[in-house]
Amino acid sequence: MNIGFVLFPNVTQLDFTGPLQILHRMPGAETHILAKSPDPVPSDCGLGLVPTGTFADAPDLDMILVPGGFGVVDALADGETMDFVHKAGAAATYVTSVCTGAFILGAAGLLNGKKATTHWAYHHLLPLVGAVPTEARCVRDGTTYTGGGVTAGIDFALQIVMEISGQNVAEGIQLAVEYDPAPPAHSGHPSTANAQLLAAMEKRYADPIEAMRSAISA
């Protein structure tokens, strides 16, 4: 199975590396890290991500995975990136995204009428790209999978492995990476965050949300 990960500048690296760490262990998986050029792609935390191939020389993909990040706004305006996602996604069996990567899928016409999720702060914008907002850490609609924000990519990838390769394989991978989360605080979702924290974070995301809205509407 050829799995293509789409990179663009200012991608959130964990949106990409979390699922990569899981999916590359799936039996029969061949992972391809794809970008416009072979040059390292800067992530939003300063880590350079090195593609293994370019959009132009990508193989036919059985699965396409689009991560998110603040760079999504610029990616939506990049014709080469959007054209690749549209064509590769239309031909792939599995169409997937993590976090705000859902907006790239949606803008490429790949989420029309599909149930989908994304980062909690942007969830209400999903109808703007034709998706049906659905509250869950991972949402499956046929062979379209979307994950919530950032760390949800690990859960999302394990669900994909479970659906494709079975529960035993998924559990083996989970044990191999010792994915046994025990956070020191329980504020990872608006439903568990206190009101003061949530208000502060909503204020912080106000400008990025409007930037996303404008990019989608452009």
Side-chain angles (χ1 to χ4, degrees), residues 106 111-116 126-133:
L111 291 182
N112 290 330
K114 297 280 189 179
K115 295 178 181 179
L126 283 170
L128 297 180
V129 292
V132 179

Side-chain angles (χ1 to χ4, degrees), residues 131-182:
V132 179
T134 305
E135 288 282 355
R137 194 156 167 84
C138 177
V139 172
R140 176 191 178 191
D141 190 329
T143 54
T144 299
Y145 292 79
T146 51
V150 192
T151 60
I154 298 173
D155 301 58
F156 147 99
L158 285 168
Q159 181 168 335
I160 291 174
V161 173
M162 189 173 292
E163 297 286 349
I164 294 174
S165 298
Q167 183 168 343
N168 287 343
V169 173
E171 289 181 352
I173 293 173
Q174 182 173 352
L175 181 58
V177 300
E178 199 172 344
Y179 181 54
D180 186 26

Side-chain angles (χ1 to χ4, degrees), residues 7 35-42 49-51 53-54:
L7 294 186
K36 290 172 61 174
S37 81
D39 299 329
V41 178
L49 304 170
V50 181
T54 66

